[in-house]
Structures are given as C-alpha cells and as structure tokens.
Amino acid sequence: MSLTGRTRLSILDKPLSRGKGEVSLSCFALLFSEVVQYCQNKSQTVPELQNKLHELGQKVGVKLIDLYFVRERNCKREIKLLNILLFVKSTLWKALFGREADKLEHSNDDENTYYLMEKDPLVNKFISVPRDKSSLNCAVFIAGIVEAVLTGTDLRPKLPPTGTKEQHIW
Amino acid sequence: MSRSTTRFDTKKVNSELVTLTYGALVAQIIKDLENTDDVSKQLERLGYNMGIRLIEDFLAKTGTGRCLDLKDTADKIQTAFRMYLGVQPNVANWSAAGDEFSFVLDSNPLTDLVELPEDLKGLKYCNIICGVIRGALEMVQLDVQSWIVQDQLKRGSKH
C-alpha cells in the first residue's frame, strides 16, 4: 500500500492540460439535463431550483479562475474591473462555449453596472421550459460561473450590482 | 482512426466544462447524501437516465444495426466512447465464456483535474459511465451489468 502511495503521481505533479480536449455536445447536454433534474427533485419552487443551479455554477466558476489564470495569464490575476469583464467575455467564453459572448454593455444609469449579453446560451439549447415554470431560466448556471469568477478575482466591493444584474439579462 | 471520428459529424464542447460541471454535481450529491455508497448509486442512476437517451442519439448518428454477438457490442461501445468522450478505450479481459469483458480507459475526461480526498476513497467517481452503458444497452434489449474494476483516481480504470 505504502509503495503504491509513493509511486503514485499526485494531481499537482502532472502537467496542466492545455484545455483542448473536446467532448460531444450530446454528452454535455444530457449531463446538464441530469444536473437540472437532480436540482429539480431537490427543490420545491422555481427560485429554489434556480438558486441550486446558480450555486453549482459558482462551484464551476471558482475552479475556472485558477485554471485560466494559470494557463492564459501566467498566474497573474486581473484586478481591473473592465479587464476582467473583457476576459470573461472573450477568453473564458471562447474556451467554454467556442465563441465570444455577444455583447458587453455599460449601463447609462449606473457606472457600476455592466451587462454581459449572450443570445443563445449553450446550456439552454436543448431545454424546453414547461409552461407552468415559465420563469425558469437554466442559464443561471452560467450566471453562477460568471459571478464566481468575478467575485473570486477580488472585485467583490464593486460587484454586487453587476453580479445580480447579469443574471437578469439572460 | 481520425477518419472514423470525423465521420459522425458531432458538435463538440470543451471537455473542461463537462469535467467541472460533473465535478460540481458530484460535490453537490456528496453534500446531499453523505454516505459514499449512496452517492455512487445515485451517480449510476443519473448515468442510466443519460444512457437511455444517449442510445437514440448514437443510433441516429451512426445508423448502426443490431449486434450479432457481444464482441460486436464491445466494438460499438468503443465507438460510442470515442464519439462522446473523445477517448479510445481498449477492450480487454474477455472471460472464457465470452460473456464478460473490460474497457480500459487510458485517459478519461471526467477525471481530469480531479483528485479524491482520503475520506472519499470509496467513491466510484466514474460510476456514471457504468450507468450510461447499462441504460443504453437496456434500450436495445441487452441486459448487462457494468461496474468499475479499477479506478484511475485510485490507479487504473476499467469497466
């Protein structure tokens, strides 16, 4: 036992993958559908379900920060609001969903508010929302990812308005 | 090999998105259930649900016919692995009666970036794959059992 323990490579000893791996879209769609169903079974109301998806998204987001800043930015973190937003819009989006997010807008009314727009989020592609749950939007999962990335890069003080607004534009 | 992967024109997504989504799901289930064996079972069940839908996708994309024997089935599952996870498993360990075999996955996108903590060593992290195989084969009237023999997170991965 101890011998295998010693010879075994820990995950930190392995080189970081380049992130070029690809998996079939059907695979992801079905997995995500199971994620949604699992959350649905655990919750009574639509907001509750959305919260659960949002939380899961955050878990993903937290891990993405480390991964992408180590891989793309030589471990240098971004601390300027606009830069990190652009990073999310282009680099992160491209890596995750194969293309950049549609638009990043600055609100006219409030200088701390930005809108990140995506017309056709990948996670919603195969989801049909039942009529009795019309307020459900599974893209809160992505909102969770984005929020975690922004929070995790220490932009918290400026963020609450941004973070919450972002969910609404989905 | 590359020809056969391009033949079925499937859309792809970044494997890390899948890995991390799956990881988040597993973490959530662990939080909800606590007992590791229950978690493994739940993962298998989720996989089963995926499998019974995935088979349709597979049949539609490949237009494949009925399997003649288990060797044929093994081949097709191998193709499916390549299509859906982008990895090529080896088929090995055929039993003498020809009714049991293993897939050996050299790399598994589900376990990239994953490390099991000591207290979860009993968790069958990839049990979802077993579920998928069971679900998919059940839909084509093949009743199979599928389990993990070895795990790369503990060393080596087989089904």
Side-chain angles (χ1 to χ4, degrees):
Chain A
M1 241 353 240
S2 62
L3 193 73
T4 52
R6 213 175 298 150
T7 49
R8 204 182 125 195
L9 276 177
S10 119
I11 192 165
L12 296 176
D13 298 325
K14 294 179 199 158
L16 189 62
S17 76
R18 292 180 53 229
K20 298 279 185 239
E22 283 180 327
V23 169
S24 156
L25 176 60
S26 334
C27 198
F28 176 72
L30 284 168
L31 177 64
F32 190 70
S33 123
E34 287 306 317
V35 170
V36 176
Q37 283 176 49
Y38 179 80
C39 292
Q40 196 174 10
N41 288 339
K42 294 269 165 201
S43 46
Q44 311 288 330
T45 60
V46 174
E48 212 178 318
L49 168 59
Q50 303 224 76
N51 279 345
K52 286 213 154 73
L53 285 174
H54 192 252
E55 264 171 45
L56 282 177
Q58 283 178 323
K59 281 187 192 153
V60 175
V62 168
K63 305 218 156 77
L64 284 172
I65 306 172
D66 287 343
L67 189 57
Y68 280 87
F69 280 102
V70 169
R71 189 185 287 149
E72 312 269 342
R73 297 282 163 104
N74 284 328
C75 304
K76 278 194 196 118
R77 273 195 319 171
E78 200 64 72
I79 49 163
K80 291 207 177 84
L81 178 59
L82 194 58
N83 286 356
I84 182 71
L85 285 172
L86 286 172
F87 172 79
V88 170
K89 176 183 180 276
S90 42
T91 318
L92 192 67
W93 225 260
K94 215 172 202 162
L96 289 184
F97 309 118
R99 60 192 179 82
E100 292 192 7
D102 291 320
K103 238 188 246 172
L104 179 67
E105 269 184 18
H106 193 177
S107 164
N108 286 332
D109 314 328
D110 178 6
E111 63 170 307
N112 285 335
T113 307
Y114 289 83
Y115 300 98
L116 185 66
M117 309 214 181
E118 166 70 52
K119 285 199 194 89
D120 180 23
L122 182 77
V123 293
N124 275 5
K125 213 169 195 169
F126 298 105
I127 289 181
S128 54
V129 179
R131 213 169 285 159
D132 58 322
K133 295 195 176 99
S134 54
S135 61
L136 173 66
N137 189 347
C138 292
V140 287
F141 182 74
I142 304 185
I145 296 181
V146 174
E147 189 184 309
V149 170
L150 296 181
T151 327
T153 38
D154 231 7
L155 286 163
R156 193 65 182 167
K158 284 180 193 164
L159 267 179
T162 325
T164 45
K165 284 277 184 192
E166 256 156 359
Q167 292 168 35
H168 294 308
I169 46 111
W170 292 110
Chain B
M1 198 180 98
S2 63
R3 189 175 296 158
S4 58
T5 39
T6 50
R7 203 177 61 206
F8 317 116
D9 182 34
T10 50
K11 288 207 174 112
K12 301 279 183 190
V13 291
N14 186 325
S15 71
E16 274 160 6
L17 182 62
V18 177
T19 312
L20 291 174
T21 309
Y22 182 61
L25 177 67
V26 175
Q28 185 62 46
I29 298 178
I30 290 172
K31 214 162 141 200
D32 292 341
L33 290 177
E34 285 169 6
N35 183 342
T36 337
D37 290 338
D38 289 346
V39 177
S40 304
K41 254 183 232 150
Q42 176 72 34
L43 288 175
E44 210 264 357
R45 208 169 315 145
L46 294 186
Y48 175 80
N49 293 340
M50 286 172 71
I52 54 183
R53 297 173 67 185
L54 197 70
I55 186 72
E56 303 237 350
D57 190 78
F58 179 73
L59 292 178
K61 276 182 184 141
T62 57
T64 176
R66 251 177 197 290
C67 295
L68 301 170
D69 54 14
L70 202 60
K71 282 224 162 61
D72 210 8
T73 314
D75 271 356
K76 282 181 180 157
I77 299 177
Q78 212 178 6
T79 319
F81 264 107
R82 210 166 48 215
M83 261 173 81
Y84 292 113
L85 288 181
V87 290
Q88 168 93 22
N90 294 316
V91 185
N93 298 359
W94 280 93
S95 69
D99 59 357
E100 204 180 313
F101 59 92
S102 306
F103 288 111
V104 187
L105 295 168
D106 295 329
S107 67
N108 180 352
L110 284 185
T111 57
D112 281 345
L113 317 168
V114 175
E115 190 174 41
L116 285 182
E118 279 304 322
D119 56 329
L120 287 175
K121 284 292 180 224
L123 177 70
K124 292 172 186 155
Y125 188 82
C126 294
N127 225 11
I128 197 160
I129 297 182
C130 296
V132 171
I133 295 176
R134 185 169 71 89
L137 290 185
E138 192 177 292
M139 284 293 119
V140 287
Q141 281 110 39
L142 278 172
D143 198 7
V144 293
Q145 284 180 313
S146 168
W147 64 92
I148 292 177
V149 183
Q150 262 186 327
D151 194 334
Q152 214 160 34
L153 296 170
K154 297 156 211 157
R155 287 186 82 69
S157 168
K158 285 180 194 173
H159 296 278

